[in-house]
Amino acid sequence: MQIHDLPYPDPGVPDARSGPRFLWWLFRNQLGGQLKSLAWGLLHFVSVASLPFCVGVAVQAAVDRSGGRLALAGGLMALAGAGVAVGDTFLHRAAVTNWITAAARVQQLLGRKAAVLGSVLTRRVAAGEVVAVSTGDVEKIGWFVEALSRFTAAAVTVVAVTVGLLVYQPALGAVVAVGLPVLALAVLPLLPPATRRADVQREKAGRATELASDTVAGLRVLRGIGGEDLFLDRYRRASQEVRHAAVRSARMWSLIAAVQVLLPGLLLITVVWYGVRLARDGRIDVGELVTVYSSVMLLTFPLRHFEEIAMAYSFSRPSARRAARVLALERATDTGGTRAAETPAGDLYDPETGLCAPSGLLTAVVCGDPDAAGRLAERLGGHAAQDGTSVLLGGVPLDDLPLDSARTAVLVQDKDPVLLSGTLRELLDVPASGAVDPGAALEAAQCQDVLAALVQGSLGAEDPMDARITERGRSLSGGQRQRLALARSLVTDPEVLVLDEPTSAVDSHTEARIAQGVRGLRSGRTTVVFTSSPLLLDRADRVVFLHEGTVVAVGGHRELVRTEPRYRAVVTRETEEETAPAVALRADGGARPTGEVPDGLEELEELEEIEEKA
């Protein structure tokens, strides 16, 4: 795999049982790139290691006044220099390719997992942790995968040079053979505390990222209540904790680096001292001493890769563990596709609650618990957070359909939809049936003022469709974001559209027009709206009331207000004391006093009068 071939057609199925297993899986899936990097690494390091031999031959030739051997040494040095240049260039190219392709594979896996889990992902893992995994952690995982082949090449070179010195000059080679393992293993006792400190730093950095993400997401609300200073102080404390942890981790790695400098220096001094004694006794030539000395000096370069691989592993292991934890998440219900791909049509039915949304009608669902309503909305779309009986669409279980087919059939818009940055045209460029024009969807969602605001805030954008939307639509109000998200859902035109509180942030008059627009645009399509707004409920074809997770009443809004006290309490926000007299009247068989109108209907009648005058 080359960089220009990205993304992967299929990133594969990762081994997410643990962080080390995930790293090993990545290595195995990039074996071709690793072998290529290893080959270029061997060429580079062997060429570097051969330079001392060439220098030794040249020195000895100068001592012996041999022009032929001096020319030979020069030719060998030129060849070794070419090997160093070519090997280093292509080693860097192969290593960077391995890094980028490994990071891209992990990002594709995370993106696929997020697409499969949907909104359930952030309920199981904090959004800040997901961001940390998909950015910083991905880079560290790629670093380890990239460094592994270079470390292997360095280790092979160190072993080969040590064996060569033993053969070339046994006396000094024995000193090197004893000293090099000490150099390589000396830092091992320091690695566990260094790894623990790195883990603490990563953990604190992850918490700081989560806090920053939550603070930015709620900045508008925080400013409204004057709480931004409180959260900024919390982030300052969290960032200081990260800084202190990073300093403690850096101290340990500085100690490891110091050991990596000190011990090779001691070995070099030992070799020179012992070699001078041997040369003075006539047991070795000057050229041999220069060769051994130069070899030991240059071996400190590949030995540096022992330190790097230790650092890369200590930093990538917690990153890989976090990535594996996200990738190991599974859907509560497996839409693996036991049926052929199809888009069923018909009534939407949930066996657990008894909720039925007839085909082609606008069904409003009232549920006293907003969290329960959100969970039910996810169930209707096949995104259940817990195991249970599958929702049926036209008698077909959604869990038996391939995931793409299930999501094509049922689209769920939650109560906090996300707007991606870009132009309005790009926002509305979503998979759709083509039957709904973006202009009609924007009109039905009452986005006229939103379009004007976008054009005003975008320099040089005469066409509203070319106006830019900032990240998550932060320049827009909550009601404007809601309406744009609703327009996007309407453009998609699914067989079943499930909306969870789509108008909770808009005023009553706009809400009434949205209800009428959605009803007209979705005519003949199945639409389910979770709401407690009388304006939406009054325009629904049927209203379903759930109490304690079960359907207890079905009918029209006005009918349920008059006949179902629990429904009236939810819709009108009445307390039990306010509801009790009305319940008592009905229990006694008495009628409501003449002229008395339930609170939920007064607002409807006022709006109807205004609309008639308009």
Side-chain angles (χ1 to χ4, degrees):
M1 173 63 70
Q2 297 298 318
I3 296 176
H4 59 75
D5 295 325
L6 294 173
Y8 286 94
D10 180 12
V13 179
D15 185 350
R17 289 176 290 178
S18 66
R21 288 178 182 271
F22 180 60
L23 291 174
W24 176 242
W25 177 84
L26 276 177
F27 176 80
R28 287 189 291 107
N29 277 268
Q30 294 191 228
L31 191 58
Q34 295 293 335
L35 291 177
K36 185 183 297 185
S37 179
L38 175 62
W40 290 117
L42 286 174
L43 173 62
H44 173 62
F45 289 123
V46 169
S47 298
V48 170
S50 65
L51 286 174
F53 173 75
C54 300
V55 172
V57 172
V59 170
Q60 192 61 43
V63 171
D64 297 339
R65 299 180 179 276
S66 174
R69 280 188 295 160
L70 188 61
L72 175 62
L76 291 176
M77 290 183 67
L79 185 61
V84 170
V86 173
D88 188 32
T89 300
F90 286 95
L91 171 61
H92 179 74
R93 179 186 178 90
V96 171
T97 299
N98 287 337
W99 187 335
I100 294 177
T101 52
R105 185 189 294 271
V106 178
Q107 286 182 325
Q108 279 189 250
L109 290 171
L110 291 170
R112 184 174 67 179
K113 181 60 65 174
V116 169
L117 293 177
S119 60
V120 178
L121 174 61
T122 51
R123 295 192 177 187
R124 299 186 184 180
V125 181
E129 182 172 354
V130 177
V131 172
V133 171
S134 59
T135 53
D137 286 339
V138 164
E139 292 187 4
K140 291 172 178 58
I141 293 171
W143 177 26
F144 175 75
V145 174
E146 173 264 334
L148 192 57
S149 56
R150 289 191 290 110
F151 162 73
T152 305
V156 171
T157 302
V158 169
V159 172
V161 170
T162 303
V163 173
L165 289 177
L166 282 171
V167 174
Y168 179 71
Q169 178 44 249
L172 289 178
V175 176
V176 175
V178 172
L180 284 179
V182 175
L183 296 184
L185 301 178
V187 298
L188 289 182
L190 301 177
L191 288 180
T195 302
R196 286 194 297 269
R197 293 188 181 188
D199 290 348
V200 171
Q201 178 191 354
R202 289 291 160 205
E203 182 180 353
K204 291 184 179 296
R207 286 203 297 267
T209 302
E210 293 175 20
L211 182 58
S213 177
D214 293 342
T215 302
V216 171
L219 194 56
R220 183 186 294 270
V221 177
L222 291 175
R223 285 177 175 171
I225 62 176
E228 65 269 25
D229 290 337
L230 174 62
F231 275 80
L232 288 175
D233 287 340
R234 290 182 181 177
Y235 181 73
R236 288 191 188 97
R237 290 195 296 271
S239 63
Q240 288 301 313
E241 290 180 3
V242 174
R243 184 178 67 83
H244 290 311
V247 170
R248 293 186 72 248
S249 179
R251 286 173 180 168
M252 185 57 68
W253 289 111
S254 298
L255 178 59
I256 292 175
V259 171
Q260 291 286 331
V261 173
L262 175 63
L263 294 184
L266 293 177
L267 176 61
L268 193 60
I269 293 173
T270 302
V271 168
V272 171
W273 173 77
Y274 187 52
V276 169
R277 291 188 58 185
L278 293 177
R280 190 161 46 185
D281 294 341
R283 297 169 58 183
I284 63 172
D285 296 330
V286 174
E288 292 176 334
L289 175 60
V290 171
T291 299
V292 176
Y293 167 78
S294 302
S295 298
V296 174
M297 183 176 64
L298 289 179
L299 277 179
T300 58
F301 172 63
L303 280 174
R304 287 284 181 180
H305 289 76
F306 286 73
E307 176 191 351
E308 182 189 7
I309 196 64
M311 292 182 64
Y313 180 71
S314 65
F315 278 94
S316 66
R317 190 183 67 174
S319 298
R321 185 173 63 245
R322 281 196 293 267
R325 183 166 62 246
V326 174
L327 295 174
L329 297 175
E330 298 292 342
R331 291 170 53 88
T333 54
D334 181 19
T335 53
T338 57
R339 286 176 174 264
E342 59 175 311
T343 304
D347 296 346
L348 184 68
Y349 177 67
D350 177 29
E352 285 197 7
T353 60
L355 170 64
C356 179
S359 176
L361 298 183
L362 173 60
T363 301
V365 181
V366 177
C367 183
D369 183 358
D371 292 334
R375 290 192 296 269
L376 178 55
E378 290 179 348
R379 276 184 49 75
L380 294 180
H383 309 292
Q386 298 176 349
D387 292 329
T389 307
S390 174
V391 171
L392 305 177
L393 178 58
V396 177
L398 288 181
D399 291 350
D400 291 348
L401 293 174
L403 188 59
D404 291 343
S405 298
R407 290 185 172 175
T408 300
V410 182
L411 173 66
V412 179
Q413 176 183 304
D414 61 26
K415 64 183 64 178
D416 188 22
V418 175
L419 300 181
L420 302 179
S421 60
T423 65
L424 181 58
R425 193 185 310 277
E426 293 170 341
L427 177 72
L428 300 180
D429 185 16
V430 293
S433 66
V436 177
D437 181 77
L442 290 168
E443 183 178 355
Q446 300 299 307
C447 293
Q448 293 83 354
D449 64 315
V450 185
L451 299 181
L454 288 176
V455 171
Q456 185 178 4
S458 299
L459 296 177
E462 298 180 359
D463 187 350
M465 298 299 290
D466 295 328
R468 294 200 64 82
I469 300 172
T470 57
E471 181 186 3
R472 298 180 69 92
R474 299 191 192 282
S475 61
L476 303 174
S477 68
Q480 290 174 328
R481 289 196 299 270
Q482 260 190 349
R483 283 178 280 163
L484 280 182
L486 176 59
R488 179 178 58 188
S489 299
L490 293 174
V491 167
T492 304
D493 189 37
E495 181 66 29
V496 179
L497 177 60
V498 180
L499 304 172
D500 187 6
E501 295 289 354
T503 59
S504 60
V506 301
D507 61 83
S508 299
H509 299 288
T510 304
E511 188 176 29
R513 292 193 293 269
I514 289 175
Q516 196 62 37
V518 171
R519 180 186 176 91
L521 196 63
R522 292 287 300 172
S523 178
R525 291 287 202 180
T526 306
T527 307
V528 180
V529 181
F530 286 83
T531 183
S532 59
S533 168
L535 301 172
L536 287 176
L537 295 170
D538 189 57
R539 284 162 174 77
D541 294 311
R542 66 200 303 267
V543 178
V544 178
F545 176 55
L546 281 85
H547 182 67
E548 295 182 352
T550 305
V551 174
V552 295
V554 179
H557 168 61
R558 300 177 186 240
E559 173 192 356
L560 293 178
V561 166
R562 292 188 172 93
T563 60
E564 177 54 60
R566 292 171 296 184
Y567 175 84
R568 173 181 168 84
V570 173
V571 173
T572 63
R573 280 75 169 176
E574 287 184 349
T575 63
E576 294 182 2
E577 291 77 8
E578 293 171 331
T579 308
V583 176
L585 281 173
R586 284 188 289 271
D588 294 339
R592 183 181 299 278
T594 304
E596 182 180 338
V597 182
D599 295 340
L601 301 183
E602 290 177 350
E603 187 177 7
L604 292 174
E605 292 177 354
E606 291 175 1
L607 283 173
E608 288 173 355
E609 291 177 2
I610 293 174
E611 290 176 358
E612 288 176 0
K613 292 178 181 180

mmCIF file of all heavy atoms in Angstrom, residues 399-425:
data_model
loop_
_atom_site.group_PDB
_atom_site.id
_atom_site.type_symbol
_atom_site.label_atom_id
_atom_site.label_comp_id
_atom_site.label_asym_id
_atom_site.label_seq_id
_atom_site.Cartn_x
_atom_site.Cartn_y
_atom_site.Cartn_z
ATOM 1 N N ASP A 399 -33.271 -5.511 12.474
ATOM 2 C CA ASP A 399 -31.991 -6.136 12.822
ATOM 3 C C ASP A 399 -31.585 -7.200 11.820
ATOM 4 O O ASP A 399 -30.412 -7.603 11.791
ATOM 5 C CB ASP A 399 -32.074 -6.774 14.220
ATOM 6 C CG ASP A 399 -32.190 -5.723 15.307
ATOM 7 O OD1 ASP A 399 -32.014 -4.533 14.987
ATOM 8 O OD2 ASP A 399 -32.473 -6.077 16.466
ATOM 9 N N ASP A 400 -32.536 -7.684 11.016
ATOM 10 C CA ASP A 400 -32.208 -8.699 10.016
ATOM 11 C C ASP A 400 -31.736 -8.091 8.709
ATOM 12 O O ASP A 400 -31.310 -8.815 7.807
ATOM 13 C CB ASP A 400 -33.430 -9.591 9.745
ATOM 14 C CG ASP A 400 -33.767 -10.476 10.936
ATOM 15 O OD1 ASP A 400 -32.921 -10.561 11.854
ATOM 16 O OD2 ASP A 400 -34.853 -11.071 10.955
ATOM 17 N N LEU A 401 -31.843 -6.771 8.588
ATOM 18 C CA LEU A 401 -31.420 -6.100 7.362
ATOM 19 C C LEU A 401 -29.955 -5.682 7.463
ATOM 20 O O LEU A 401 -29.455 -5.424 8.552
ATOM 21 C CB LEU A 401 -32.266 -4.846 7.124
ATOM 22 C CG LEU A 401 -33.747 -5.044 6.798
ATOM 23 C CD1 LEU A 401 -34.446 -3.692 6.749
ATOM 24 C CD2 LEU A 401 -33.920 -5.766 5.477
ATOM 25 N N PRO A 402 -29.242 -5.607 6.334
ATOM 26 C CA PRO A 402 -27.906 -5.001 6.366
ATOM 27 C C PRO A 402 -28.004 -3.579 6.903
ATOM 28 O O PRO A 402 -29.023 -2.905 6.722
ATOM 29 C CB PRO A 402 -27.473 -5.026 4.891
ATOM 30 C CG PRO A 402 -28.290 -6.096 4.263
ATOM 31 C CD PRO A 402 -29.606 -6.107 4.988
ATOM 32 N N LEU A 403 -26.959 -3.134 7.556
ATOM 33 C CA LEU A 403 -26.992 -1.839 8.224
ATOM 34 C C LEU A 403 -27.343 -0.711 7.257
ATOM 35 O O LEU A 403 -28.141 0.174 7.576
ATOM 36 C CB LEU A 403 -25.635 -1.567 8.876
ATOM 37 C CG LEU A 403 -25.549 -0.339 9.781
ATOM 38 C CD1 LEU A 403 -26.542 -0.446 10.918
ATOM 39 C CD2 LEU A 403 -24.136 -0.174 10.312
ATOM 40 N N ASP A 404 -26.783 -0.725 6.049
ATOM 41 C CA ASP A 404 -27.075 0.334 5.080
ATOM 42 C C ASP A 404 -28.552 0.339 4.713
ATOM 43 O O ASP A 404 -29.155 1.408 4.581
ATOM 44 C CB ASP A 404 -26.224 0.149 3.821
ATOM 45 C CG ASP A 404 -24.748 0.403 4.086
ATOM 46 O OD1 ASP A 404 -24.438 1.029 5.119
ATOM 47 O OD2 ASP A 404 -23.911 -0.029 3.269
ATOM 48 N N SER A 405 -29.133 -0.839 4.537
ATOM 49 C CA SER A 405 -30.546 -0.912 4.173
ATOM 50 C C SER A 405 -31.427 -0.415 5.308
ATOM 51 O O SER A 405 -32.413 0.300 5.084
ATOM 52 C CB SER A 405 -30.919 -2.360 3.803
ATOM 53 O OG SER A 405 -30.185 -2.802 2.692
ATOM 54 N N ALA A 406 -31.072 -0.789 6.545
ATOM 55 C CA ALA A 406 -31.875 -0.354 7.695
ATOM 56 C C ALA A 406 -31.832 1.159 7.836
ATOM 57 O O ALA A 406 -32.854 1.800 8.120
ATOM 58 C CB ALA A 406 -31.363 -1.029 8.962
ATOM 59 N N ARG A 407 -30.675 1.759 7.614
ATOM 60 C CA ARG A 407 -30.560 3.208 7.766
ATOM 61 C C ARG A 407 -31.158 3.948 6.576
ATOM 62 O O ARG A 407 -31.549 5.102 6.698
ATOM 63 C CB ARG A 407 -29.097 3.589 7.969
ATOM 64 C CG ARG A 407 -28.598 3.130 9.330
ATOM 65 C CD ARG A 407 -27.198 3.583 9.616
ATOM 66 N NE ARG A 407 -26.841 3.284 10.990
ATOM 67 C CZ ARG A 407 -25.639 3.472 11.510
ATOM 68 N NH1 ARG A 407 -24.675 3.969 10.759
ATOM 69 N NH2 ARG A 407 -25.388 3.172 12.768
ATOM 70 N N THR A 408 -31.214 3.310 5.425
ATOM 71 C CA THR A 408 -31.904 3.922 4.295
ATOM 72 C C THR A 408 -33.402 3.953 4.540
ATOM 73 O O THR A 408 -34.087 4.915 4.170
ATOM 74 C CB THR A 408 -31.602 3.138 3.003
ATOM 75 O OG1 THR A 408 -30.198 3.157 2.758
ATOM 76 C CG2 THR A 408 -32.329 3.743 1.813
ATOM 77 N N ALA A 409 -33.912 2.907 5.189
ATOM 78 C CA ALA A 409 -35.352 2.810 5.433
ATOM 79 C C ALA A 409 -35.803 3.738 6.552
ATOM 80 O O ALA A 409 -36.870 4.357 6.458
ATOM 81 C CB ALA A 409 -35.729 1.362 5.762
ATOM 82 N N VAL A 410 -35.014 3.845 7.625
ATOM 83 C CA VAL A 410 -35.422 4.632 8.794
ATOM 84 C C VAL A 410 -34.295 5.600 9.146
ATOM 85 O O VAL A 410 -33.175 5.182 9.422
ATOM 86 C CB VAL A 410 -35.724 3.728 10.009
ATOM 87 C CG1 VAL A 410 -36.205 4.583 11.183
ATOM 88 C CG2 VAL A 410 -36.772 2.682 9.657
ATOM 89 N N LEU A 411 -34.616 6.877 9.129
ATOM 90 C CA LEU A 411 -33.657 7.905 9.511
ATOM 91 C C LEU A 411 -34.089 8.515 10.838
ATOM 92 O O LEU A 411 -35.251 8.919 10.987
ATOM 93 C CB LEU A 411 -33.573 8.999 8.444
ATOM 94 C CG LEU A 411 -32.723 10.222 8.804
ATOM 95 C CD1 LEU A 411 -31.259 9.836 8.936
ATOM 96 C CD2 LEU A 411 -32.894 11.333 7.767
ATOM 97 N N VAL A 412 -33.161 8.592 11.789
ATOM 98 C CA VAL A 412 -33.444 9.167 13.103
ATOM 99 C C VAL A 412 -32.655 10.463 13.255
ATOM 100 O O VAL A 412 -31.435 10.467 13.094
ATOM 101 C CB VAL A 412 -33.080 8.188 14.234
ATOM 102 C CG1 VAL A 412 -33.360 8.824 15.591
ATOM 103 C CG2 VAL A 412 -33.855 6.891 14.095
ATOM 104 N N GLN A 413 -33.356 11.541 13.553
ATOM 105 C CA GLN A 413 -32.702 12.806 13.893
ATOM 106 C C GLN A 413 -32.879 13.027 15.383
ATOM 107 O O GLN A 413 -33.999 13.212 15.861
ATOM 108 C CB GLN A 413 -33.302 13.978 13.113
ATOM 109 C CG GLN A 413 -32.697 15.329 13.511
ATOM 110 C CD GLN A 413 -33.344 16.489 12.800
ATOM 111 O OE1 GLN A 413 -33.381 16.528 11.583
ATOM 112 N NE2 GLN A 413 -33.864 17.443 13.573
ATOM 113 N N ASP A 414 -31.755 13.002 16.123
ATOM 114 C CA ASP A 414 -31.867 13.145 17.567
ATOM 115 C C ASP A 414 -32.083 14.603 17.950
ATOM 116 O O ASP A 414 -32.100 15.497 17.103
ATOM 117 C CB ASP A 414 -30.657 12.548 18.288
ATOM 118 C CG ASP A 414 -29.354 13.235 17.890
ATOM 119 O OD1 ASP A 414 -29.408 14.409 17.488
ATOM 120 O OD2 ASP A 414 -28.294 12.593 17.986
ATOM 121 N N LYS A 415 -32.225 14.830 19.239
ATOM 122 C CA LYS A 415 -32.586 16.166 19.706
ATOM 123 C C LYS A 415 -31.417 17.144 19.667
ATOM 124 O O LYS A 415 -31.620 18.350 19.832
ATOM 125 C CB LYS A 415 -33.142 16.091 21.120
ATOM 126 C CG LYS A 415 -32.164 15.606 22.173
ATOM 127 C CD LYS A 415 -32.826 15.500 23.520
ATOM 128 C CE LYS A 415 -33.913 14.461 23.517
ATOM 129 N NZ LYS A 415 -34.559 14.303 24.839
ATOM 130 N N ASP A 416 -30.222 16.663 19.432
ATOM 131 C CA ASP A 416 -29.052 17.541 19.368
ATOM 132 C C ASP A 416 -28.257 17.219 18.109
ATOM 133 O O ASP A 416 -27.127 16.728 18.172
ATOM 134 C CB ASP A 416 -28.178 17.361 20.613
ATOM 135 C CG ASP A 416 -27.054 18.391 20.669
ATOM 136 O OD1 ASP A 416 -27.194 19.452 20.032
ATOM 137 O OD2 ASP A 416 -26.040 18.124 21.346
ATOM 138 N N PRO A 417 -28.800 17.485 16.922
ATOM 139 C CA PRO A 417 -28.098 17.139 15.677
ATOM 140 C C PRO A 417 -26.861 18.002 15.485
ATOM 141 O O PRO A 417 -26.794 19.134 15.970
ATOM 142 C CB PRO A 417 -29.153 17.416 14.593
ATOM 143 C CG PRO A 417 -30.049 18.432 15.198
ATOM 144 C CD PRO A 417 -30.084 18.137 16.671
ATOM 145 N N VAL A 418 -25.898 17.476 14.758
ATOM 146 C CA VAL A 418 -24.625 18.159 14.525
ATOM 147 C C VAL A 418 -24.597 18.691 13.102
ATOM 148 O O VAL A 418 -24.952 17.988 12.156
ATOM 149 C CB VAL A 418 -23.436 17.203 14.758
ATOM 150 C CG1 VAL A 418 -22.129 17.887 14.391
ATOM 151 C CG2 VAL A 418 -23.413 16.736 16.198
ATOM 152 N N LEU A 419 -24.173 19.948 12.960
ATOM 153 C CA LEU A 419 -23.970 20.542 11.647
ATOM 154 C C LEU A 419 -22.472 20.591 11.369
ATOM 155 O O LEU A 419 -21.715 21.149 12.157
ATOM 156 C CB LEU A 419 -24.550 21.956 11.595
ATOM 157 C CG LEU A 419 -26.053 22.106 11.872
ATOM 158 C CD1 LEU A 419 -26.461 23.565 11.748
ATOM 159 C CD2 LEU A 419 -26.870 21.234 10.934
ATOM 160 N N LEU A 420 -22.069 20.013 10.248
ATOM 161 C CA LEU A 420 -20.657 20.033 9.885
ATOM 162 C C LEU A 420 -20.330 21.342 9.186
ATOM 163 O O LEU A 420 -21.173 21.957 8.533
ATOM 164 C CB LEU A 420 -20.338 18.848 8.967
ATOM 165 C CG LEU A 420 -20.637 17.468 9.545
ATOM 166 C CD1 LEU A 420 -20.294 16.387 8.522
ATOM 167 C CD2 LEU A 420 -19.873 17.238 10.831
ATOM 168 N N SER A 421 -19.077 21.786 9.348
ATOM 169 C CA SER A 421 -18.654 23.030 8.711
ATOM 170 C C SER A 421 -18.612 22.846 7.200
ATOM 171 O O SER A 421 -18.392 21.746 6.684
ATOM 172 C CB SER A 421 -17.279 23.445 9.237
ATOM 173 O OG SER A 421 -16.328 22.439 8.966
ATOM 174 N N GLY A 422 -18.841 23.952 6.483
ATOM 175 C CA GLY A 422 -18.871 23.914 5.027
ATOM 176 C C GLY A 422 -19.980 24.808 4.516
ATOM 177 O O GLY A 422 -20.578 25.584 5.254
ATOM 178 N N THR A 423 -20.272 24.716 3.234
ATOM 179 C CA THR A 423 -21.347 25.509 2.668
ATOM 180 C C THR A 423 -22.685 24.828 2.920
ATOM 181 O O THR A 423 -22.754 23.630 3.225
ATOM 182 C CB THR A 423 -21.147 25.696 1.163
ATOM 183 O OG1 THR A 423 -21.243 24.416 0.511
ATOM 184 C CG2 THR A 423 -19.791 26.313 0.868
ATOM 185 N N LEU A 424 -23.749 25.607 2.764
ATOM 186 C CA LEU A 424 -25.092 25.054 2.930
ATOM 187 C C LEU A 424 -25.357 24.004 1.862
ATOM 188 O O LEU A 424 -26.029 22.995 2.125
ATOM 189 C CB LEU A 424 -26.124 26.181 2.839
ATOM 190 C CG LEU A 424 -27.590 25.779 3.017
ATOM 191 C CD1 LEU A 424 -27.811 25.099 4.361
ATOM 192 C CD2 LEU A 424 -28.494 26.997 2.871
ATOM 193 N N ARG A 425 -24.804 24.192 0.680
ATOM 194 C CA ARG A 425 -24.973 23.204 -0.383
ATOM 195 C C ARG A 425 -24.356 21.865 0.024
ATOM 196 O O ARG A 425 -24.924 20.804 -0.214
ATOM 197 C CB ARG A 425 -24.334 23.719 -1.672
ATOM 198 C CG ARG A 425 -24.714 22.923 -2.919
ATOM 199 C CD ARG A 425 -23.930 23.438 -4.130
ATOM 200 N NE ARG A 425 -24.004 24.883 -4.264
ATOM 201 C CZ ARG A 425 -25.020 25.519 -4.839
ATOM 202 N NH1 ARG A 425 -26.048 24.829 -5.315
ATOM 203 N NH2 ARG A 425 -25.009 26.843 -4.922
#
